[in-house]
């Protein structure tokens, strides 16, 4: 979680904790007041039951007994009100604790999702820039240049920096079926041996001196300049366009003899 998000979340959780503490203090004060009132009632009952300090319990008058009964009834009612208020305070406290825990879970989930997206974004940026040093041993697909007036080169790297180069001639692209590119295309030597690339991933073809790229229902899709071309049929590509096959980021270049 970044510092700005922490600056918002931690004060909020601290405020909820202070609120819970303040509520507990208020309940304690209310309980102390109820106890003081009960003691006062007991003292009143004692003074009422012993007129002049000489009478005992056996000599209570009807009026004194009525007063005692009323005081006892009022004491029971106050006790019941206190217990009810205590239960309500405990229920509110449990609800606030549940809200704090739920908020913590939501914040952690958002932070983890954000971190995961940032890692994936960083991997794609690294593959697109091609800033890693790669020796010829890292090249998994280096094709021999065919003969022709112009050559069309797809050159790029995956997220681990492994380089892939496909060099095609205009004559090959002009065939009726074009050229199929994939992890293991049948009757094609243009391989991209990467787990995110389907066996028959995409087709390159040429029509009226323009090169077209078509996704062949691949699992991880194909895009041109960040726009998906899945289920769009053949889409024209030009010199300098970015092509992503699966997760392999490549650049289209036209080389004239």
């Amino acid at each position: 979680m970044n510092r700005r998000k922490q600056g918002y979340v931690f004060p909020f959780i601290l405020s909820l904790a202070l609120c819970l503490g303040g509520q507990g203090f208020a309940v304690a004060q209310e309980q102390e007041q109820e106890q003081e009132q009960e003691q006062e009632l007991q003292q009143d009952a004692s003074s009422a039951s012993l007129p002049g300090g000489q009478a005992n319990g056996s000599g209570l008058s009807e009026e004194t007994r009525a007063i005692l009964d009323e005081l006892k009834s009022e004491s029971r009612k106050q006790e019941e009100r206190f217990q009810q208020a205590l239960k309500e305070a405990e229920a509110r406290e449990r609800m606030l604790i549940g809200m704090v825990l739920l908020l913590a879970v939501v914040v952690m989930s958002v932070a983890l999702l954000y971190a995961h997206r940032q890692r994936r974004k960083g991997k794609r940026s690294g593959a697109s820039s091609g800033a890693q040093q790669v020796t010829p041993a890292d090249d998994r697909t280096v094709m021999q240049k065919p003969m022709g007036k112009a050559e069309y080169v797809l050159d790029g790297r995956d997220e681990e920096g492994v380089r892939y180069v496909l060099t095609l001639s205009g004559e090959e692209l002009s065939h009726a079926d074009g050229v199929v590119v994939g992890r293991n295309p049948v009757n094609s030597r243009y391989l991209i041996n990467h787990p995110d690339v389907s066996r028959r991933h995409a087709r390159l073809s040429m029509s009226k001196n323009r090169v077209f790229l078509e996704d062949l229902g691949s699992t991880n899709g194909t895009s041109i300049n960040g726009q998906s071309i899945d289920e769009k049929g053949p889409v024209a590509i030009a010199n300098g366009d970015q092509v992503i096959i699966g997760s392999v980021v490549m650049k289209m270049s036209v080389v004239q003899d």
Side-chain angles (χ1 to χ4, degrees), residues 1-2 5 108-119:
M1 185 185 300
N2 56 31
K5 289 184 177 180
M108 291 300 298
S109 300
V110 172
L112 291 175
L113 180 61
Y114 177 79
H116 177 68
R117 289 184 176 178
Q118 288 296 107
R119 284 197 299 269

Side-chain angles (χ1 to χ4, degrees), residues 198-217:
S198 300
R199 294 170 63 88
R200 286 171 49 87
H201 195 103
R203 186 196 313 275
L204 288 157
S205 60
M206 176 175 285
S207 177
K208 297 180 180 179
N209 295 324
R210 299 182 65 188
V211 179
F212 292 84
L213 179 64
E214 177 184 4
D215 184 83
L216 298 178

Side-chain angles (χ1 to χ4, degrees), residues 154-173:
L154 284 174
D155 188 354
R157 303 174 188 270
D158 62 15
E159 65 275 7
E160 296 179 356
V162 180
R163 188 181 181 189
Y164 299 87
V165 180
L166 305 180
T167 304
L168 307 96
S169 68
E171 182 180 356
E172 289 177 305
L173 295 174

